[in-house]
Amino acid sequence: MNNPPITELNDRTRTIFRIVVENYLESGAPVGSRTLSKVSGLNLSPASIRNVMQDLEEAGLLAAPHTSAGRMPTESGLRLFVDGMMHAAEPTAEERRAIESRLEGNGPIESALAAATAALSGLSACAGVVLVPKREAVLKQFSFARLSGRQALAIMVGTDGTVENRLVKIAPSVSDGALVEAGNYISARLSGLTLSDALARLDAEIRGQKAALDQASADLVRKGLAVWSLDANDRPVLIVRGQSNLLDDIAAADLDRVRQLLDELENTEEIARLIDGAREAEATRIFIGSENNLFSLSGSSVIAAPYRDQGGKIVGVVGVIGPTRLNYARIVPMVDFTAQALGRLMK
């Protein structure tokens, strides 16, 4: 069903819809016509309100969980509210201090990220998540060692002293001399660069015909460098904090959904891929319920915002995961503020 845009709802319908959604997000319970009739300034009888709520239900914006119950917003109704009616509330000074204080002090960046995520989780009563910046190794030395006719071991030494190995498929025609030549080229020409920068320089030198490599050796160099960047992209590092915050009094009445969400939170690799989708966004992204496949069974929402390094490059994503019944007006700006605070930490 295509839901009507907010501009197609008349003032009375829009007001009743907004009040239903706001009451539901606050209480977690369906809202009845009698409750709405007591709202100051509405001046409508329960019968008139029921008629409007019926129209909203037929439009796919509200739903009745039981025959005699009140109404609650559908996922489509929540999306309409968030996109067209929500008035965001900036984080309070106390909330800002709670987040920023977790980023102070010395220590590994991962510890600060985990602490800030825990603070965000506590303030939002959701599970907090953050993608750790992908730190590429800086090349110092590189070599290849043949293992078989079709396989070689790529050995990289970083400027920080770390040594890592990866398996690389090679053509049977690649000679031992080509393996040595490729390793020497990387060590001599690309040392001091990150993997992505080394790949970019290699491509530039090949285009400018400045690379003293034949085609087979150039392909080997590119393959040796690419195996690390592909591996890092396939395994983004995710920190999850505050799952216990999901077990509030209202959630206790819907333990099956909570258990499903907790099970979904165990799948950190899939969560990382979902959260990583917010990297391309200029602002905070909101996924409601079945808008993402991962949390469709539990009917959960994800609010995520990218954060940047000192050069303005997006290096990670921070956010929260919780039930669709969230205080979006409060939590969306809070996630955005946390992303800005993390950006300042990266400088």
Side-chain angles (χ1 to χ4, degrees), residues 253-327:
D254 193 5
L255 286 179
D256 287 342
R257 183 194 62 77
V258 175
R259 289 193 186 100
Q260 179 66 45
L261 176 54
L262 292 175
D263 286 343
E264 291 164 346
L265 287 173
E266 293 296 316
N267 193 347
T268 55
E269 186 172 336
E270 287 301 314
I271 296 172
R273 295 188 191 285
L274 170 65
I275 300 298
D276 202 39
R279 279 179 180 270
E280 305 305 319
E282 290 298 321
T284 303
R285 291 195 65 181
I286 305 170
F287 304 91
I288 299 175
S290 58
E291 290 178 354
N292 72 81
N293 293 329
L294 180 59
F295 295 108
S296 60
L297 292 178
S298 63
S300 303
S301 286
V302 179
I303 301 172
Y307 60 94
R308 305 171 184 271
D309 63 13
Q310 58 183 347
K313 178 183 177 182
I314 293 174
V315 293
V317 180
V318 64
V320 298
I321 300 170
T324 54
R325 181 194 59 80
L326 291 176
N327 186 340

Side-chain angles (χ1 to χ4, degrees), residues 55-96:
D55 292 340
L56 288 167
E57 185 174 354
E58 291 175 358
L61 300 177
L62 297 182
H66 308 291
T67 304
S68 59
R71 303 299 199 280
M72 57 189 288
T74 61
E75 290 179 1
S76 297
L78 285 174
R79 170 55 64 188
L80 183 68
F81 174 80
V82 167
D83 289 346
M85 303 184 73
M86 182 179 74
H87 297 290
E90 291 301 314
T92 65
E94 183 179 353
E95 290 169 341
R96 292 196 297 269

Side-chain angles (χ1 to χ4, degrees), residues 146 148-151 170-179 214-217 219-220:
R146 182 186 297 277
S148 67
R150 294 180 177 275
Q151 204 171 51
I170 58 174
S173 59
V174 173
S175 67
D176 289 343
L179 291 173
D214 59 26
Q215 186 61 49
S217 295
D219 290 343
L220 186 58

